[in-house]
Amino acid sequence: MGERLESKTALVTGSTSNIGQAIAEAFAAEGAHVVVSGRSAERGARVVEGIRAAGGLADFVPADLDGSARASRDLAERARAILGRPIDILVNNAGIFPGDVTAATDEETFDRVYAVNVKAPFFLTASIAADMVRNGGGSIINLGSWVARLGVPVGALYASTKGAVETLTRAWAAEFGPSGVRVNAVSPGVIVPRGEDGGDPHPGEIMMKGTPAGGIGTPDAVAHAAVWLASDEAAFVHGTVVDVDGGRMGAAVIAA
């Protein structure tokens, strides 16, 4: 167990699997009391059980962040209640990815993706950042994506929502930073969930050809960056997007 987030409280949305789970586990390993949140009570219980077994503090709060202000405010209130004190760290991780071409995307899908990926974190941040300001500070970490800045021919809808999230990151840094609340983002590259990195090559491998890393990443790589952004080590970091993408956005090499 570490101490970089000792005595801090954290809410991580969408943390019953994949990147969100890795962030919740990493925060708890550094001393934070973590609220694990998601739609599946069964998966949430497993994550909490694992954290507690490793000596960490965690509780599960079910939530279906459908984009309504009510759902976001309700999660904030229940998380504060189970923690017994204000939230120090918020990670806006929950999101959905229907990867289709533009012409095949209907209006219902469009509205649902923007509701979950943009509206939900917007209203959750509105609720929790206000508490952070009253409490003297805090850290908000948003999950962006490399596709927000490098166009690919499928998934324009999802990419546009992550572009919105990165824009909100900078705007919120300007809005809340003077009151002691740091707002930053992590932009993952191609990440493969745990347990899916064996056997046949992953389809995402092709997207990482020509990068310095030369291959796909793991949820833990994103979690390490989130821990740093949440900690006092990043006290002078505001409004930035940390690319954890194997160099996809910043460098190119000759692919073998």
Side-chain angles (χ1 to χ4, degrees):
M1 298 289 288
E3 300 179 349
R4 296 161 78 188
L5 303 179
E6 188 71 31
S7 301
K8 299 290 186 182
T9 58
L11 168 61
V12 183
T13 67
S15 49
T16 60
S17 64
N18 203 13
I19 290 174
Q21 177 180 348
I23 292 173
E25 291 171 347
F27 280 7
E30 290 293 339
H33 185 170
V34 181
V35 171
V36 174
S37 179
R39 289 177 294 181
S40 171
E42 181 180 353
R43 290 190 302 182
R46 284 201 298 266
V47 175
V48 167
E49 181 181 358
I51 289 173
R52 291 176 177 174
L57 294 173
D59 291 283
F60 175 68
V61 174
D64 184 3
L65 295 175
D66 59 7
S68 66
R70 175 200 52 77
S72 291
R73 284 195 297 264
D74 180 64
L75 173 57
E77 290 169 3
R78 287 183 293 130
R80 285 189 291 260
I82 204 166
L83 290 167
R85 50 166 289 193
I87 296 165
D88 298 311
I89 305 163
L90 167 64
V91 180
N92 286 310
N93 168 73
I96 55 177
F97 178 77
D100 213 334
V101 296
T102 300
T105 301
D106 58 33
E107 185 176 8
E108 180 182 357
T109 300
F110 184 99
D111 290 343
R112 181 167 56 90
V113 176
Y114 261 85
V116 175
N117 292 7
V118 182
K119 283 185 67 181
F122 184 94
F123 288 110
L124 187 58
T125 296
S127 177
I128 292 177
D131 275 353
M132 288 179 174
V133 169
R134 286 189 290 269
N135 199 43
S139 175
I140 297 172
I141 302 167
N142 299 319
L143 267 291
S145 172
W146 65 282
V147 297
R149 282 168 286 142
L150 181 65
V152 295
V154 177
L157 174 59
Y158 174 81
S160 70
T161 66
K162 289 305 181 179
V165 166
E166 292 193 5
T167 297
L168 286 171
T169 297
R170 292 183 285 271
W172 285 336
E175 181 177 354
F176 301 121
S179 299
V181 179
R182 296 186 302 105
V183 186
N184 295 287
V186 179
S187 178
V190 180
I191 302 294
V192 175
R194 294 167 179 166
E196 295 184 17
D197 55 354
D200 296 333
H202 190 274
E205 290 279 5
I206 190 67
M207 297 182 183
M208 295 302 291
K209 285 186 179 253
T211 65
I216 52 183
T218 67
D220 292 322
V222 182
H224 294 321
V227 167
W228 174 68
L229 285 173
S231 74
D232 291 340
E233 295 167 8
F236 201 54
V237 181
H238 292 258
T240 195
V241 178
V242 177
D243 291 326
V244 183
D245 61 2
R248 173 78 282 171
M249 290 304 303
V253 298
I254 299 173

